Amino acid sequence: LDAFPAGARDQIRVQLASSVVAVISQCLLRTTDEKRVAAYEIMIRTDGIAAKIRENKTFQITSDIETGASRGMRTLDADLLALFNQGIIPEEEVFNYAQDAEMMRQRISQLAVSDGLAARHAQNPGKQHANSGQHGKPDQDGKKGCHTP
């Protein structure tokens, strides 16, 4: 929205709130076996999300995504944690892409204590994740990044 003149932003927010159906963002991550896997964030429009867009409260949308799992929504951090927990991506990749690194650090510590995660992670490097599909080679330029199609 910052690309638009300040006087037009309210109208752009109203138009976006009424027209958005979903937003899917993906990051291509390095796996423990040096292949690639995608991690996703999925937001599906709800009346609450549309209201937050209209009211310029987009910073609150993450909580809607977290509670919208039954509708198919998920946060990038939740997907990163699932990939790590399954031994597919190394911890370094989690923190390269985490939206909230401190919260992610706490969740990984809790899992490690309650689940013996470190041992399981070491035993199952490269295990297939639901998102893994075909692994590609690293980007030609070697850069990492998230992409919203």
Side-chain angles (χ1 to χ4, degrees), residues 121-132:
H121 194 270
Q123 292 171 355
N124 297 316
K127 182 179 172 186
Q128 289 290 317
H129 176 265
N131 296 343
S132 61

Side-chain angles (χ1 to χ4, degrees), residues 67 122 148-149:
T67 59
T148 302

Side-chain angles (χ1 to χ4, degrees), residues 40-87:
Y40 299 95
E41 179 160 90
I42 301 171
M43 181 199 78
I44 299 169
R45 183 198 181 277
T46 64
D47 291 341
I49 288 173
K52 285 177 174 73
I53 293 169
R54 274 191 310 276
E55 297 165 7
N56 197 24
K57 295 181 180 178
T58 55
F59 60 92
Q60 296 176 350
I61 290 177
T62 299
S63 64
D64 289 58
I65 296 171
E66 289 170 343
T67 59
S70 65
R71 295 178 179 219
M73 291 191 254
R74 64 181 173 205
T75 64
L76 178 61
D77 284 357
D79 214 28
L80 290 169
L81 190 60
L83 288 165
F84 175 74
N85 191 27
Q86 294 172 40

Side-chain angles (χ1 to χ4, degrees), residues 98-120:
Q99 303 296 302
D100 185 342
E102 186 54 40
M103 179 62 74
M104 190 63 71
R105 191 169 279 106
Q106 291 173 5
R107 288 180 179 171
I108 287 175
S109 293
Q110 290 169 351
L111 284 173
V113 169
S114 67
D115 238 7
L117 176 66
R120 191 169 67 248

